[in-house]
Structures are given as structure tokens and as C-alpha cells.
Amino acid sequence: MPTSLLKTGIIGTVIAAICCFTPILVVLLGTIGLASLVGYLDYILLPLLGIFICITLYALILRFKS
């Protein structure tokens, strides 16, 4: 279980970090006509990044305990 949890945490953290720090979603949303949602991305992506970082840390703690 800690291995799959660790993979989930790392993959989620990388995807959320890429979306937070690069304009990938801004360009994508602008292309498909949903540019008005760009202002709300920080309300979703930053907590999501924090959640995935916590999942990763929890999985690492479980891995080092066993």
C-alpha cells in the first residue's frame, strides 16, 4: 500500500506543480473558450498541490516505518 500511495502522491504533486507554475492550463482554457476560469485556478491548484505533498509525505513516513 505505501508504494501505490507514494506513486499517487508523486504523480499528483508533479502534475499539480506543472499546472501551478507554468501557463499550460491558461493556454488550454483560453484555447477552448474557458478563459474566464483562469482566475479561479489558484483556489483549486494550490490546495491540490498541498494535498498531494501531504500524501507523498505520509507515504514516505509509512515506508520508513516498515
Side-chain angles (χ1 to χ4, degrees):
M1 167 133 166
T3 305
S4 63
L5 194 62
L6 184 62
K7 287 179 186 177
T8 302
I10 290 173
I11 291 171
T13 301
V14 168
I15 291 172
I18 288 172
C19 290
C20 279
F21 301 120
T22 60
I24 290 173
L25 285 179
V26 175
V27 172
L28 179 68
L29 289 174
T31 303
I32 61 174
L34 296 173
S36 64
L37 297 176
V38 170
Y40 298 106
L41 288 177
D42 288 339
Y43 296 125
I44 296 170
L45 290 175
L46 292 177
L48 192 66
L49 179 64
I51 289 169
F52 278 121
I53 288 173
C54 289
I55 289 172
T56 304
L57 291 174
Y58 178 69
L60 286 172
I61 289 170
L62 286 179
R63 188 173 186 186
F64 287 127
K65 275 189 173 182
S66 61

